[in-house]
Amino acid sequence: MERGYWIRSKPVYTSLLWHEKATSHLIVAQGQGGMAVLKLLQLMHPKQPITVLYTPQSDADYSKTLLKVVPEGLHILDTEEKILQKLDSTLHTLYMGMRLYIAGSEDFMWTVAKVANKFGIEDAGMMKELTGTLARPIYCVHCKAITHDVTTNIGKCSGCGRMLFVRDHFSRHLGAYMGLMVDAESPGDLPEIEEIYP
Amino acid sequence: MSMIDVKVAAVEQVTPLVKHFTFVRQDGLAFPAFSGGSHVVVSMNVGGRVFRNPYSLMGSPADTSAYHISVRKQEHSRGGSLFMHESIEVGSSLQITYPVNLFALAKKAHKHILIAGGIGITPFMSQLFDLHRLNANFELHYAYRSPEHGAFADQLKASYGSQLRCYTDSQGGRIDLLALLSKQPLGTHVYVCGPNPMVVAVIETAKNLGWPDNTIHSEQFLSPGVGEPFKIHLKKSEIEVHVPADMSMLEAIELAGVEADYLCRGGVCGRCEVDVLESDGALLHHDHFLTDAEKASGKKIMPCVSRARCQKLVLDL
Ligand code: FES
């Protein structure tokens, strides 16, 4: 990418930090994101009620430590699907003033964001920390399918099988980066495929 | 700035202090459509001196045959509202700007809490049409001094009954903001328009509870207070302009024949911002637009409401 050039649509992630002003805190984390939760709790145990939804991954499981450290409201669930269900039912019980924190892969964070969006929570109201991997969700501009966890500069579309060049343009609505067919001009003529989002 | 010539089609005394004016176009055409919360700036020629005051449009946004505004007589006003009350009658001619919306409803909100104090009800009047049409979930909390000052309260009760709560100060009615804002479902947005202490209280309460900034909306046009006279130098136009005690910098600049941008003329929109190139005294910032840091830097000023106390002030105009 051109130096000094910054794509506006590209989300900026930070480290999780407590919102001082809040009525309650809801933290949703996946795999390595468990470390972000631990870091957060190192900073402070807030006086408002907290809920932590965590799904461990085979290569990153902080369940044991979280069980020791999280004072209340910890739910460890083994699949993303269960986490999203729990998130949905939890959001039903919370009021304005709830602060949402998310830690995990981009794919995970934007999947969580989509559930929160349904409750009228906008992106500006969520804090996100990218952990574990730079793997990108890609949506194919040709067939609209979303391919998850793409770690290379060029990835194969899970929908139509086209080879897609992974752009930096991000759609918050879809929660994915744009993928454009790379060999449209001369089919089969592919640049070298390299892992750049490990 | 392009203006629309209007004629006053009706005037109604709504409360002892509030008058409602209906405008139609001089050229008989339809008005531009607008969205709830929009305002226009009404230009009045008061004995040769031009006043331009912002007023919220309060009719139905779907009705383009007439525009409606309400004006509260300001006891200590410099003249604009007094002129509207005392000199404008059916058949009078005025000029207005095209509508601008600085207080729009959040489209993605799941619920809207509207909080009005006194004449602050006006921007909500048009928003209510939109909310009603969209079948949106909303509540209106309307506070006023005493029963006779509750402008449009009866009309609102008839139209929105259970979604409306009125608070009459003289009868001890107070909005319990903490209770109101503590138990709102996710996706709620709050809107406030009214006197300064009320606006500040709503914003503070919501923020302290942890409502995200983008869910808190307020509108509060300031009027360009009176102050000491001072002089400014306009660099690009190469002229000196005297700002009298009862005129804003923006008015004085316009009077000198220099075109300056504006939208709200009340220190909130940011459109009139100008760069201060030089100054040897204090800038008296009255606006709600610049950040504290920008105000302290002394490099920018909002001429619609702010003033200065200095011998020399050079503006990039
Ligand atoms: S005109 Fe809006 S801030 Fe001055």
Side-chain angles (χ1 to χ4, degrees):
Chain A
M1 203 199 308
E2 206 182 310
R3 292 176 72 164
Y5 181 66
W6 173 49
I7 295 199
R8 288 264 163 176
S9 64
K10 215 173 151 197
V12 176
Y13 306 110
T14 56
S15 291
L16 299 187
L17 276 180
W18 295 112
H19 283 282
E20 260 173 66
K21 302 198 163 145
T23 302
S24 64
H25 305 272
L26 173 59
I27 308 155
V28 190
Q30 166 215 46
Q32 192 62 36
M35 180 55 100
V37 182
L38 293 172
K39 281 193 294 178
L40 197 54
L41 286 160
Q42 288 254 308
L43 291 174
M44 177 181 70
H45 282 215
K47 54 179 188 291
Q48 303 88 356
I50 67 176
T51 306
V52 180
L53 310 182
Y54 180 62
T55 181
Q57 289 181 310
S58 51
D59 57 345
D61 185 352
Y62 291 91
S63 305
K64 264 199 203 137
T65 323
L66 285 168
L67 278 165
K68 286 204 191 84
V69 171
V70 180
E72 66 192 11
L74 173 65
H75 303 268
I76 296 176
L77 297 156
D78 56 1
T79 65
E80 193 175 304
E81 203 190 317
K82 284 187 203 159
I83 279 283
L84 296 177
Q85 273 168 14
K86 182 69 190 165
L87 172 65
D88 195 277
S89 61
T90 307
L91 287 173
H92 274 289
T93 66
L94 296 172
Y95 297 107
M96 283 301 286
M98 177 277 298
R99 290 295 193 164
L100 180 58
Y101 310 79
I102 315 172
S105 70
E106 276 197 290
D107 223 337
F108 177 78
M109 290 194 286
W110 290 94
T111 311
V112 169
K114 251 185 248 177
V115 176
N117 289 154
K118 275 199 314 185
F119 288 81
I121 304 166
E122 289 164 53
D123 290 330
M126 313 177 193
M127 200 180 278
K128 303 190 188 78
E129 179 167 340
L130 177 62
T131 60
T133 173
L134 295 178
R136 293 180 166 193
I138 305 301
Y139 75 91
C140 173
V141 300
H142 311 283
C143 80
K144 311 266 184 276
I146 293 190
T147 308
H148 299 280
D149 297 326
V150 178
T151 57
T152 46
N153 56 338
I154 292 162
K156 189 179 173 115
C157 174
S158 60
C160 62
R162 285 184 177 91
M163 294 307 282
L164 303 174
F165 174 66
V166 179
R167 303 279 311 266
D168 273 325
H169 285 280
F170 186 84
S171 158
R172 274 150 214 270
H173 173 63
L174 299 161
Y177 291 87
M178 196 161 99
L180 269 175
M181 187 175 180
V182 75
D183 55 348
E185 309 276 279
S186 39
D189 188 3
L190 294 174
E192 202 176 329
I193 299 181
E194 295 161 308
E195 181 180 81
I196 55 171
Y197 310 115
Chain B
M1 187 164 286
S2 64
M3 308 281 279
I4 306 174
D5 290 306
V6 300
K7 199 169 67 203
V8 177
V11 182
E12 188 197 341
Q13 186 84 43
V14 186
T15 74
L17 289 176
V18 175
K19 274 190 176 180
H20 171 196
F21 299 88
T22 306
F23 298 154
V24 293
R25 280 178 78 130
Q26 296 274 20
D27 57 15
L29 298 175
F31 279 110
F34 65 97
S35 51
S38 298
H39 76 273
V40 294
V41 172
V42 178
S43 170
M44 311 157 226
N45 193 319
V46 185
R49 159 127 188 236
V50 179
F51 283 92
R52 294 186 177 89
N53 289 3
Y55 296 110
S56 298
L57 289 178
M58 39 174 292
S60 161
D63 176 11
T64 54
S65 66
Y67 274 178
H68 301 264
I69 64 163
S70 281
V71 179
R72 181 186 194 276
K73 196 183 206 169
Q74 303 293 350
E75 286 96 10
H76 308 292
S77 108
R78 306 168 315 146
S81 72
L82 227 55
F83 175 78
M84 289 298 291
H85 269 259
E86 286 163 8
S87 309
I88 294 296
E89 47 194 34
V90 173
S92 298
S93 295
L94 286 165
Q95 285 194 313
I96 64 170
T97 60
Y98 283 79
V100 169
N101 200 344
L102 299 173
F103 195 47
L105 291 165
K107 294 215 176 60
K108 289 189 182 151
H110 288 199
K111 181 176 177 185
H112 309 261
I113 306 263
L114 318 179
I115 303 177
I119 193 67
I121 190 67
T122 54
F124 295 126
M125 298 295 285
S126 60
Q127 287 186 340
L128 287 164
F129 283 102
D130 283 343
L131 291 168
H132 188 67
R133 183 170 44 81
L134 296 168
N135 214 353
N137 181 4
F138 72 89
E139 289 170 17
L140 170 62
H141 298 264
Y142 181 18
Y144 40 82
R145 258 203 275 172
S146 57
E148 74 270 22
H149 286 293
F152 311 107
D154 292 337
Q155 174 188 332
L156 289 167
K157 268 176 211 153
S159 309
Y160 304 109
S162 61
Q163 283 147 303
L164 171 71
R165 272 207 63 188
C166 292
Y167 306 79
T168 313
D169 196 48
S170 65
Q171 296 167 357
R174 294 275 188 292
I175 307 181
D176 182 346
L177 290 174
L178 193 59
L180 176 63
L181 299 178
S182 290
K183 286 273 156 80
Q184 291 300 337
L186 297 175
T188 305
H189 284 232
V190 64
Y191 308 76
V192 58
C193 184
N196 188 49
M198 174 188 232
V199 173
V200 171
V202 170
I203 295 175
E204 286 302 302
T205 308
K207 280 196 176 171
N208 284 333
L209 285 168
W211 288 49
D213 288 350
N214 67 323
T215 62
I216 309 169
H217 312 261
S218 64
E219 177 155 271
Q220 195 190 9
F221 292 143
L222 307 164
S223 49
V226 222
E228 298 290 307
F230 59 104
K231 257 204 321 274
I232 49 181
H233 182 83
L234 307 184
K235 182 79 182 289
K236 287 191 209 136
S237 324
E238 298 182 340
I239 52 166
E240 290 275 315
V241 176
H242 174 71
V243 184
D246 64 345
M247 218 183 253
S248 72
M249 245 196 281
L250 181 60
E251 288 168 328
I253 291 167
E254 288 169 339
L255 195 64
V258 176
E259 275 258 0
D261 279 339
Y262 69 85
L263 284 181
C264 72
R265 302 183 80 90
V268 292
C269 73
R271 181 59 72 89
C272 68
E273 179 182 305
V274 285
D275 288 338
V276 174
L277 301 174
E278 246 179 273
S279 83
D280 66 354
L283 302 181
L284 309 173
H285 295 286
H286 296 307
D287 63 280
H288 283 334
F289 181 78
L290 295 174
T291 61
D292 288 345
E294 284 171 325
K295 287 181 183 173
S297 82
K299 296 216 169 80
K300 291 176 189 308
I301 196 160
M302 315 305 290
C304 64
V305 290
S306 297
R307 309 184 68 85
R309 196 186 298 122
C310 55
Q311 299 305 312
K312 185 170 190 190
L313 177 59
V314 184
L315 299 181
D316 192 20
L317 263 178

mmCIF file of all heavy atoms in Angstrom, chain A residues 151-180:
data_model
loop_
_atom_site.group_PDB
_atom_site.id
_atom_site.type_symbol
_atom_site.label_atom_id
_atom_site.label_comp_id
_atom_site.label_asym_id
_atom_site.label_seq_id
_atom_site.Cartn_x
_atom_site.Cartn_y
_atom_site.Cartn_z
ATOM 1 N N THR A 151 -6.361 -15.153 5.167
ATOM 2 C CA THR A 151 -5.074 -14.670 5.706
ATOM 3 C C THR A 151 -4.106 -14.247 4.598
ATOM 4 O O THR A 151 -3.010 -13.815 4.863
ATOM 5 C CB THR A 151 -4.397 -15.781 6.537
ATOM 6 O OG1 THR A 151 -4.237 -16.918 5.688
ATOM 7 C CG2 THR A 151 -5.222 -16.153 7.746
ATOM 8 N N THR A 152 -4.542 -14.390 3.349
ATOM 9 C CA THR A 152 -3.642 -14.108 2.226
ATOM 10 C C THR A 152 -4.101 -12.894 1.414
ATOM 11 O O THR A 152 -5.246 -12.468 1.532
ATOM 12 C CB THR A 152 -3.598 -15.332 1.285
ATOM 13 O OG1 THR A 152 -4.947 -15.763 1.067
ATOM 14 C CG2 THR A 152 -2.814 -16.460 1.909
ATOM 15 N N ASN A 153 -3.192 -12.371 0.598
ATOM 16 C CA ASN A 153 -3.516 -11.212 -0.230
ATOM 17 C C ASN A 153 -4.582 -11.533 -1.273
ATOM 18 O O ASN A 153 -5.332 -10.668 -1.705
ATOM 19 C CB ASN A 153 -2.253 -10.656 -0.906
ATOM 20 C CG ASN A 153 -1.538 -11.719 -1.732
ATOM 21 O OD1 ASN A 153 -1.707 -12.922 -1.496
ATOM 22 N ND2 ASN A 153 -0.742 -11.285 -2.688
ATOM 23 N N ILE A 154 -4.625 -12.820 -1.662
ATOM 24 C CA ILE A 154 -5.639 -13.262 -2.614
ATOM 25 C C ILE A 154 -6.323 -14.491 -2.029
ATOM 26 O O ILE A 154 -5.665 -15.393 -1.513
ATOM 27 C CB ILE A 154 -4.985 -13.607 -3.971
ATOM 28 C CG1 ILE A 154 -4.455 -12.313 -4.609
ATOM 29 C CG2 ILE A 154 -5.966 -14.298 -4.913
ATOM 30 C CD1 ILE A 154 -3.444 -12.538 -5.684
ATOM 31 N N GLY A 155 -7.639 -14.490 -2.052
ATOM 32 C CA GLY A 155 -8.345 -15.615 -1.445
ATOM 33 C C GLY A 155 -9.417 -16.140 -2.392
ATOM 34 O O GLY A 155 -9.913 -15.415 -3.256
ATOM 35 N N LYS A 156 -9.770 -17.393 -2.195
ATOM 36 C CA LYS A 156 -10.780 -18.002 -3.056
ATOM 37 C C LYS A 156 -12.157 -17.756 -2.450
ATOM 38 O O LYS A 156 -12.384 -18.013 -1.265
ATOM 39 C CB LYS A 156 -10.497 -19.502 -3.133
ATOM 40 C CG LYS A 156 -11.340 -20.225 -4.182
ATOM 41 C CD LYS A 156 -10.953 -21.708 -4.177
ATOM 42 C CE LYS A 156 -11.874 -22.481 -5.075
ATOM 43 N NZ LYS A 156 -11.250 -23.066 -6.225
ATOM 44 N N CYS A 157 -13.077 -17.246 -3.249
ATOM 45 C CA CYS A 157 -14.427 -16.955 -2.761
ATOM 46 C C CYS A 157 -15.151 -18.251 -2.423
ATOM 47 O O CYS A 157 -15.202 -19.175 -3.244
ATOM 48 C CB CYS A 157 -15.210 -16.176 -3.807
ATOM 49 S SG CYS A 157 -16.935 -15.951 -3.334
ATOM 50 N N SER A 158 -15.731 -18.277 -1.224
ATOM 51 C CA SER A 158 -16.422 -19.500 -0.794
ATOM 52 C C SER A 158 -17.736 -19.664 -1.544
ATOM 53 O O SER A 158 -18.328 -20.725 -1.546
ATOM 54 C CB SER A 158 -16.688 -19.432 0.709
ATOM 55 O OG SER A 158 -17.495 -18.292 0.995
ATOM 56 N N GLY A 159 -18.188 -18.606 -2.197
ATOM 57 C CA GLY A 159 -19.452 -18.687 -2.924
ATOM 58 C C GLY A 159 -19.266 -19.112 -4.361
ATOM 59 O O GLY A 159 -19.763 -20.158 -4.791
ATOM 60 N N CYS A 160 -18.507 -18.321 -5.134
ATOM 61 C CA CYS A 160 -18.436 -18.557 -6.571
ATOM 62 C C CYS A 160 -17.091 -19.131 -7.015
ATOM 63 O O CYS A 160 -16.903 -19.450 -8.185
ATOM 64 C CB CYS A 160 -18.714 -17.267 -7.334
ATOM 65 S SG CYS A 160 -17.494 -15.968 -6.998
ATOM 66 N N GLY A 161 -16.132 -19.219 -6.064
ATOM 67 C CA GLY A 161 -14.854 -19.838 -6.408
ATOM 68 C C GLY A 161 -13.892 -18.915 -7.129
ATOM 69 O O GLY A 161 -12.769 -19.304 -7.451
ATOM 70 N N ARG A 162 -14.299 -17.666 -7.391
ATOM 71 C CA ARG A 162 -13.379 -16.730 -8.035
ATOM 72 C C ARG A 162 -12.194 -16.445 -7.109
ATOM 73 O O ARG A 162 -12.339 -16.490 -5.887
ATOM 74 C CB ARG A 162 -14.080 -15.404 -8.324
ATOM 75 C CG ARG A 162 -15.038 -15.432 -9.505
ATOM 76 C CD ARG A 162 -15.564 -13.997 -9.700
ATOM 77 N NE ARG A 162 -16.450 -13.869 -10.839
ATOM 78 C CZ ARG A 162 -17.779 -14.007 -10.774
ATOM 79 N NH1 ARG A 162 -18.356 -14.296 -9.631
ATOM 80 N NH2 ARG A 162 -18.511 -13.857 -11.858
ATOM 81 N N MET A 163 -11.065 -16.118 -7.695
ATOM 82 C CA MET A 163 -9.919 -15.707 -6.892
ATOM 83 C C MET A 163 -10.051 -14.203 -6.663
ATOM 84 O O MET A 163 -10.124 -13.417 -7.605
ATOM 85 C CB MET A 163 -8.607 -16.023 -7.626
ATOM 86 C CG MET A 163 -8.364 -17.524 -7.797
ATOM 87 S SD MET A 163 -8.471 -18.456 -6.240
ATOM 88 C CE MET A 163 -6.877 -18.055 -5.521
ATOM 89 N N LEU A 164 -10.095 -13.826 -5.378
ATOM 90 C CA LEU A 164 -10.380 -12.426 -5.055
ATOM 91 C C LEU A 164 -9.154 -11.719 -4.487
ATOM 92 O O LEU A 164 -8.464 -12.248 -3.616
ATOM 93 C CB LEU A 164 -11.511 -12.344 -4.017
ATOM 94 C CG LEU A 164 -12.836 -13.008 -4.389
ATOM 95 C CD1 LEU A 164 -13.790 -12.960 -3.202
ATOM 96 C CD2 LEU A 164 -13.464 -12.314 -5.605
ATOM 97 N N PHE A 165 -8.923 -10.525 -4.970
ATOM 98 C CA PHE A 165 -7.900 -9.680 -4.383
ATOM 99 C C PHE A 165 -8.523 -8.993 -3.166
ATOM 100 O O PHE A 165 -9.608 -8.434 -3.242
ATOM 101 C CB PHE A 165 -7.420 -8.644 -5.409
ATOM 102 C CG PHE A 165 -6.463 -7.660 -4.823
ATOM 103 C CD1 PHE A 165 -5.213 -8.079 -4.376
ATOM 104 C CD2 PHE A 165 -6.811 -6.319 -4.688
ATOM 105 C CE1 PHE A 165 -4.316 -7.172 -3.799
ATOM 106 C CE2 PHE A 165 -5.919 -5.411 -4.114
ATOM 107 C CZ PHE A 165 -4.664 -5.847 -3.676
ATOM 108 N N VAL A 166 -7.843 -9.083 -2.024
ATOM 109 C CA VAL A 166 -8.406 -8.564 -0.775
ATOM 110 C C VAL A 166 -8.074 -7.083 -0.640
ATOM 111 O O VAL A 166 -6.916 -6.707 -0.502
ATOM 112 C CB VAL A 166 -7.850 -9.345 0.428
ATOM 113 C CG1 VAL A 166 -8.421 -8.786 1.726
ATOM 114 C CG2 VAL A 166 -8.181 -10.824 0.295
ATOM 115 N N ARG A 167 -9.100 -6.256 -0.716
ATOM 116 C CA ARG A 167 -8.894 -4.799 -0.647
ATOM 117 C C ARG A 167 -8.875 -4.324 0.803
ATOM 118 O O ARG A 167 -9.219 -5.057 1.714
ATOM 119 C CB ARG A 167 -10.037 -4.086 -1.388
ATOM 120 C CG ARG A 167 -10.191 -4.493 -2.834
ATOM 121 C CD ARG A 167 -9.204 -3.771 -3.708
ATOM 122 N NE ARG A 167 -9.203 -2.328 -3.457
ATOM 123 C CZ ARG A 167 -9.918 -1.441 -4.144
ATOM 124 N NH1 ARG A 167 -10.729 -1.836 -5.095
ATOM 125 N NH2 ARG A 167 -9.830 -0.159 -3.880
ATOM 126 N N ASP A 168 -8.494 -3.046 0.976
ATOM 127 C CA ASP A 168 -8.546 -2.443 2.307
ATOM 128 C C ASP A 168 -9.889 -1.779 2.579
ATOM 129 O O ASP A 168 -10.133 -1.275 3.664
ATOM 130 C CB ASP A 168 -7.436 -1.396 2.452
ATOM 131 C CG ASP A 168 -6.140 -2.041 2.913
ATOM 132 O OD1 ASP A 168 -6.219 -2.996 3.711
ATOM 133 O OD2 ASP A 168 -5.070 -1.599 2.474
ATOM 134 N N HIS A 169 -10.740 -1.735 1.568
ATOM 135 C CA HIS A 169 -12.045 -1.093 1.768
ATOM 136 C C HIS A 169 -12.950 -1.979 2.607
ATOM 137 O O HIS A 169 -13.159 -3.134 2.285
ATOM 138 C CB HIS A 169 -12.698 -0.785 0.431
ATOM 139 C CG HIS A 169 -12.065 0.385 -0.235
ATOM 140 N ND1 HIS A 169 -12.369 1.679 0.121
ATOM 141 C CD2 HIS A 169 -11.117 0.450 -1.171
ATOM 142 C CE1 HIS A 169 -11.623 2.499 -0.603
ATOM 143 N NE2 HIS A 169 -10.843 1.782 -1.401
ATOM 144 N N PHE A 170 -13.488 -1.399 3.666
ATOM 145 C CA PHE A 170 -14.255 -2.174 4.622
ATOM 146 C C PHE A 170 -15.689 -1.680 4.652
ATOM 147 O O PHE A 170 -15.944 -0.479 4.658
ATOM 148 C CB PHE A 170 -13.622 -2.016 6.009
ATOM 149 C CG PHE A 170 -14.241 -2.892 7.045
ATOM 150 C CD1 PHE A 170 -13.836 -4.212 7.183
ATOM 151 C CD2 PHE A 170 -15.234 -2.406 7.884
ATOM 152 C CE1 PHE A 170 -14.419 -5.032 8.147
ATOM 153 C CE2 PHE A 170 -15.820 -3.218 8.843
ATOM 154 C CZ PHE A 170 -15.401 -4.536 8.969
ATOM 155 N N SER A 171 -16.632 -2.606 4.682
ATOM 156 C CA SER A 171 -18.034 -2.235 4.824
ATOM 157 C C SER A 171 -18.498 -2.565 6.238
ATOM 158 O O SER A 171 -18.505 -3.726 6.636
ATOM 159 C CB SER A 171 -18.896 -2.994 3.811
ATOM 160 O OG SER A 171 -20.236 -3.031 4.276
ATOM 161 N N ARG A 172 -18.859 -1.524 6.986
ATOM 162 C CA ARG A 172 -19.343 -1.749 8.340
ATOM 163 C C ARG A 172 -20.681 -2.467 8.322
ATOM 164 O O ARG A 172 -21.028 -3.222 9.225
ATOM 165 C CB ARG A 172 -19.530 -0.411 9.057
ATOM 166 C CG ARG A 172 -18.270 0.075 9.693
ATOM 167 C CD ARG A 172 -18.190 1.562 9.760
ATOM 168 N NE ARG A 172 -16.796 1.928 9.609
ATOM 169 C CZ ARG A 172 -15.957 2.061 10.621
ATOM 170 N NH1 ARG A 172 -16.384 1.934 11.860
ATOM 171 N NH2 ARG A 172 -14.697 2.351 10.417
ATOM 172 N N HIS A 173 -21.397 -2.197 7.270
ATOM 173 C CA HIS A 173 -22.716 -2.802 7.143
ATOM 174 C C HIS A 173 -22.583 -4.329 7.004
ATOM 175 O O HIS A 173 -23.288 -5.093 7.632
ATOM 176 C CB HIS A 173 -23.408 -2.187 5.936
ATOM 177 C CG HIS A 173 -24.696 -2.833 5.586
ATOM 178 N ND1 HIS A 173 -25.758 -2.821 6.468
ATOM 179 C CD2 HIS A 173 -25.085 -3.530 4.506
ATOM 180 C CE1 HIS A 173 -26.745 -3.483 5.906
ATOM 181 N NE2 HIS A 173 -26.369 -3.921 4.724
ATOM 182 N N LEU A 174 -21.628 -4.752 6.185
ATOM 183 C CA LEU A 174 -21.443 -6.190 5.970
ATOM 184 C C LEU A 174 -20.429 -6.768 6.942
ATOM 185 O O LEU A 174 -20.348 -7.986 7.122
ATOM 186 C CB LEU A 174 -20.963 -6.446 4.535
ATOM 187 C CG LEU A 174 -21.926 -5.994 3.440
ATOM 188 C CD1 LEU A 174 -21.212 -5.861 2.112
ATOM 189 C CD2 LEU A 174 -23.079 -6.984 3.323
ATOM 190 N N GLY A 175 -19.644 -5.905 7.559
ATOM 191 C CA GLY A 175 -18.615 -6.375 8.471
ATOM 192 C C GLY A 175 -17.529 -7.146 7.740
ATOM 193 O O GLY A 175 -17.031 -8.149 8.259
ATOM 194 N N ALA A 176 -17.165 -6.693 6.551
ATOM 195 C CA ALA A 176 -16.162 -7.430 5.773
ATOM 196 C C ALA A 176 -15.440 -6.509 4.800
ATOM 197 O O ALA A 176 -15.922 -5.424 4.476
ATOM 198 C CB ALA A 176 -16.835 -8.565 5.008
ATOM 199 N N TYR A 177 -14.266 -6.985 4.364
ATOM 200 C CA TYR A 177 -13.496 -6.254 3.368
ATOM 201 C C TYR A 177 -13.963 -6.645 1.968
ATOM 202 O O TYR A 177 -14.450 -7.767 1.743
ATOM 203 C CB TYR A 177 -12.003 -6.563 3.520
ATOM 204 C CG TYR A 177 -11.407 -5.988 4.772
ATOM 205 C CD1 TYR A 177 -11.446 -6.694 5.968
ATOM 206 C CD2 TYR A 177 -10.836 -4.725 4.764
ATOM 207 C CE1 TYR A 177 -10.918 -6.162 7.130
ATOM 208 C CE2 TYR A 177 -10.292 -4.174 5.923
ATOM 209 C CZ TYR A 177 -10.343 -4.897 7.107
ATOM 210 O OH TYR A 177 -9.827 -4.363 8.250
ATOM 211 N N MET A 178 -13.726 -5.732 1.036
ATOM 212 C CA MET A 178 -14.156 -5.965 -0.315
ATOM 213 C C MET A 178 -13.167 -6.882 -1.034
ATOM 214 O O MET A 178 -11.957 -6.714 -0.918
ATOM 215 C CB MET A 178 -14.185 -4.611 -1.015
ATOM 216 C CG MET A 178 -14.932 -4.560 -2.276
ATOM 217 S SD MET A 178 -15.275 -2.802 -2.578
ATOM 218 C CE MET A 178 -13.992 -2.465 -3.702
ATOM 219 N N GLY A 179 -13.684 -7.856 -1.780
ATOM 220 C CA GLY A 179 -12.840 -8.733 -2.576
ATOM 221 C C GLY A 179 -13.207 -8.618 -4.045
ATOM 222 O O GLY A 179 -14.371 -8.698 -4.416
ATOM 223 N N LEU A 180 -12.190 -8.374 -4.896
ATOM 224 C CA LEU A 180 -12.415 -8.176 -6.326
ATOM 225 C C LEU A 180 -11.700 -9.253 -7.112
ATOM 226 O O LEU A 180 -10.548 -9.564 -6.816
ATOM 227 C CB LEU A 180 -11.794 -6.845 -6.746
ATOM 228 C CG LEU A 180 -12.643 -5.592 -6.701
ATOM 229 C CD1 LEU A 180 -11.784 -4.395 -7.050
ATOM 230 C CD2 LEU A 180 -13.810 -5.705 -7.677
#
